[in-house]
Amino acid sequence: MSVNILGIESSCDDTSAAVISDGLLRSNVIASQKVHEAYGGVVPELASRAHQENIVPVVSEALKRAGIDKTELTAIAFTRGPGLLGSLLVGTSFAKGMAIGLDIPLLDVNHLHAHVLSHFIRQKEDDEVPEFPFLCLLVSGGNSQIVVVRSAYDMEIVGKTIDDAAGEAFDKCAKVMGLPYPGGPHIDRLAAEGNPKAFRFSKPHIPGLDYSFSGLKTSFLYTLRDRLKEDPEFIEKNKADLAASLQATIIAILIDKLKKALEAYPVKSIAIGGGVSANSGVRKAVEEFCLRHGVRAWIPERAFTTDNAAMVATAGYFKYLEKDFCDLSLPPFSRVTV
């Protein structure tokens, strides 16, 4: 009898549901929220309301595409945290109610843990997955971490941001440039047309493997302030070069720490995950870094870099195999590390 896992993701502004059967992805449905674009960032109350509207049709569509009836589900995996508490409450409550109604077990999933395990999403039997141990560069709007992944249950954060995350730096600088939210994809698009050496922004000197992006953000803002005094059209005239220089600086910071991590923790593979791993420059830089250092690069499909339920269902499948079920009394949580 097949093991059918329904995954539910609602940590921020994407409502997603996916079905995995015996470890293979059968469906992955995502409903994105456009309502936040007018505000230049995610509004938590609006996000939770949109989740309430989206979750039933999204789950129904995921089951339909997978060709699975709800009565055939073996367990339900859901993102318990970290994330926006109101958004998490919607997904958590729905998962609990459905599990009670079907009398099947629950599997609580750490959102960051799921991003790391997104490389184990298999769509075909012969799809390759990383061998343990490996390093994972986890970069998103809220987190920048280097994780030593020894198994699906044994992960150690060896480096993390001490202030802003890489995705935050992209989005905040993009907002100042007048780019739509989310700014990261627009920076990526413009960077392809610009000169990465046109402007120099400050780089942090943080010991060890920890990151910092607040100084870069401040340097970027001061550059704009000073140049705008001389030329009010400065941003419009230099958008591509600003984007290219910003992206190049962020990538240099990420790769510098990744190099130190590989020296401290020699492995045969390096993976990237999280929303910023969709960035073209980051993907290319990690591939080139791995090629230079003789390690294998694991670059996820772009569909699995942002928040999605496929990675939640995959992480849940690992927990199901260990019979690591979740008690109905456990609440969602807004902050935690892997």
Side-chain angles (χ1 to χ4, degrees), residues 271-335:
I272 57 174
V276 178
S277 67
N279 179 280
S280 301
V282 171
R283 296 166 78 89
K284 181 180 179 182
V286 171
E287 285 182 326
E288 291 176 347
F289 172 84
C290 289
L291 185 62
R292 289 196 306 271
H293 291 84
V295 297
R296 180 164 180 177
W298 291 89
I299 312 294
E301 291 185 24
R302 281 188 167 86
F304 302 137
T305 58
T306 54
D307 296 344
N308 66 89
M311 67 183 190
V312 175
T314 298
Y317 183 62
F318 276 107
K319 299 194 79 170
Y320 178 82
L321 295 178
E322 297 294 325
K323 304 302 179 186
D324 185 7
F325 301 132
C326 169
D327 190 274
L328 286 168
S329 65
L330 291 178
F333 53 85
S334 59
R335 294 185 179 184

Side-chain angles (χ1 to χ4, degrees), residues 16 45 82 104 117 132 141 175 192 205 321 326-327:
S16 183
E45 177 62 23
I104 56 177
L117 295 178
F132 299 113
K175 185 175 182 179
H205 298 283
L321 295 178
C326 169
D327 190 274

Side-chain angles (χ1 to χ4, degrees), residues 59 66 88 90 132 169 191 221 223 249 301:
V59 169
L88 290 165
V90 175
F132 299 113
L221 296 178
T223 297
T249 306
E301 291 185 24

Side-chain angles (χ1 to χ4, degrees), residues 36-314:
H36 308 286
E37 292 179 1
Y39 302 93
V42 177
V43 181
E45 177 62 23
L46 296 180
S48 58
R49 291 183 184 185
H51 282 302
Q52 289 178 319
E53 295 176 0
N54 293 336
I55 194 162
V56 171
V58 165
V59 169
S60 296
E61 183 64 18
L63 291 170
K64 179 182 176 180
R65 292 186 189 180
I68 297 290
D69 186 80
K70 63 180 182 294
T71 58
E72 298 177 85
L73 291 174
T74 309
I76 299 176
F78 68 99
T79 300
R80 190 172 153 229
L84 300 175
L85 197 55
S87 295
L88 290 165
L89 277 168
V90 175
T92 299
S93 300
F94 185 91
K96 287 181 178 181
M98 192 171 185
I100 292 171
L102 296 173
D103 192 25
I104 56 177
L106 275 173
L107 304 158
D108 63 316
V109 172
N110 181 309
H111 179 74
L112 303 181
H113 190 153
H115 270 303
V116 173
L117 295 178
S118 65
H119 297 277
F120 293 84
I121 298 171
R122 292 190 301 134
Q123 300 178 76
K124 305 186 302 296
E125 286 285 356
D126 58 353
D127 282 350
E128 291 186 282
V129 296
E131 291 184 6
F132 299 113
F134 62 90
L135 285 175
C136 182
L137 175 62
L138 183 59
V139 277
S140 66
N143 296 276
S144 292
Q145 300 176 343
I146 298 177
V147 185
V148 179
V149 187
R150 299 185 178 92
S151 76
Y153 277 87
D154 185 0
M155 301 185 190
E156 179 187 0
I157 298 173
V158 295
K160 61 185 184 298
T161 182
I162 62 173
D163 41 56
D164 290 349
E168 245 180 315
F170 274 124
D171 287 341
K172 289 180 178 178
C173 292
K175 185 175 182 179
V176 175
M177 290 172 62
L179 299 175
Y181 174 85
H186 295 284
I187 293 289
D188 191 16
R189 173 181 55 81
L190 286 168
E193 306 167 6
N195 176 9
K197 298 181 180 179
F199 300 97
R200 294 186 63 183
F201 304 118
S202 65
K203 296 178 183 178
H205 298 283
I206 308 298
L209 300 178
D210 287 342
Y211 287 105
S212 171
F213 292 97
S214 63
L216 164 62
K217 183 185 66 178
T218 301
S219 174
F220 185 86
L221 296 178
Y222 281 169
T223 297
L224 295 190
R225 183 197 63 180
D226 294 342
R227 297 298 183 94
L228 285 170
K229 290 178 182 178
E230 303 170 2
D231 181 3
E233 301 297 319
F234 171 76
I235 294 177
E236 192 60 36
K237 294 176 181 177
N238 296 276
K239 273 187 176 179
D241 286 347
L242 285 167
S245 299
L246 172 67
Q247 180 165 291
T249 306
I250 290 176
I251 290 171
I253 295 170
L254 292 172
I255 295 299
D256 176 65
K257 295 294 186 177
L258 190 58
K259 181 176 183 295
K260 292 179 179 179
L262 183 59
E263 292 170 353
Y265 302 91
V267 292
K268 296 180 180 179
S269 297
I270 291 177
I272 57 174
V276 178
S277 67
N279 179 280
S280 301
V282 171
R283 296 166 78 89
K284 181 180 179 182
V286 171
E287 285 182 326
E288 291 176 347
F289 172 84
C290 289
L291 185 62
R292 289 196 306 271
H293 291 84
V295 297
R296 180 164 180 177
W298 291 89
I299 312 294
E301 291 185 24
R302 281 188 167 86
F304 302 137
T305 58
T306 54
D307 296 344
N308 66 89
M311 67 183 190
V312 175
T314 298

